[in-house]
Amino acid sequence: MNTCAECGFVYDLASAAEVPSLAREHAVEYADLLGADIDKLRQRGKPDVWSPLEYACHMRDVLLAQRERVLAARRLDNPLVTPMGREERVEHDGYAEQAPPDVARQIRDAALLFANVLERLGGEDWERTLSFPYPEPADRSLRWLAVHTLHELRHHLLDMHRQLDG
């Protein structure tokens, strides 16, 4: 995947070092959106599309999962990434019932934790790899993982705006 057909995000691996500051900035945007009316935050526009609150919870968990993946790639040679169970988490963790102020704080904290591990990467560390199952099984660099996470942050902000602004 070089460009997301839906949101237009371009995977520019040369920009990976910018991801920590952008992740922190985007987390603030998520937190701001979580100040919207609680009914709008919990409402699904369509049964098969997550609510804005569910997207924010998902993004919090993505940041935490990606942080652990970066740390694993620093410890191990080409570790296999275990899927995070994105669909199951919505129900298993009760995304729709969570308190938006709590999620706002948690997503900011998750972005800080993710940014911290990225900022500690040296030149060669960025090229360490993980065996990543998405979008098809492939060995992916930490540079790719950082940029992919930025795509997730931006794409799901768009998803939230579509529902909250519509």
Side-chain angles (χ1 to χ4, degrees):
M1 176 187 295
N2 293 323
T3 303
C4 177
E6 186 178 346
C7 74
F9 182 87
V10 176
Y11 276 67
D12 176 10
L13 299 185
S15 68
E18 299 168 26
V19 172
S21 64
L22 293 170
R24 288 187 294 263
E25 288 174 22
H26 289 327
V28 170
E29 291 180 61
Y30 276 87
D32 289 347
L33 288 175
L34 288 167
D37 175 71
I38 188 71
D39 292 330
K40 285 185 96 172
L41 287 172
R42 294 188 195 280
Q43 183 177 2
R44 285 185 169 201
K46 298 178 185 174
D48 61 337
V49 176
W50 291 344
S51 70
L53 179 57
E54 290 167 326
Y55 276 118
C57 290
H58 167 69
M59 207 53 243
R60 172 204 57 208
D61 289 353
V62 165
L63 289 166
L64 294 172
Q66 298 294 64
R67 174 184 183 263
E68 290 305 314
R69 292 167 178 171
V70 170
L71 292 169
R74 301 229 24 219
R75 288 190 314 275
L76 306 166
D77 289 329
N78 202 41
L80 176 63
V81 170
T82 304
M84 65 180 278
R86 62 174 273 150
E87 296 296 332
E88 296 85 355
R89 284 174 183 254
V90 176
E91 180 185 334
H92 294 174
D93 197 26
Y95 282 2
E97 291 84 38
Q98 294 188 21
D102 292 344
V103 177
R105 183 189 71 254
Q106 293 161 357
I107 198 167
R108 287 190 306 265
D109 289 345
L112 291 172
L113 291 164
F114 177 65
N116 177 60
V117 297
L118 291 184
E119 288 173 333
R120 302 177 75 72
L121 297 176
E124 291 182 15
D125 294 328
W126 284 103
E127 303 314 317
R128 294 195 58 84
T129 60
L130 305 104
S131 181
F132 212 85
Y134 176 85
E136 64 269 339
D139 291 345
R140 303 283 185 180
S141 69
L142 291 182
R143 186 175 303 282
W144 180 88
L145 180 131
V147 172
H148 178 67
T149 306
L150 180 61
H151 171 232
E152 289 271 317
L153 281 161
R154 290 189 179 165
H155 195 110
H156 294 317
L157 270 174
L158 177 62
D159 291 329
M160 289 177 70
H161 275 292
R162 284 179 183 148
Q163 293 186 59
L164 292 170
D165 300 342

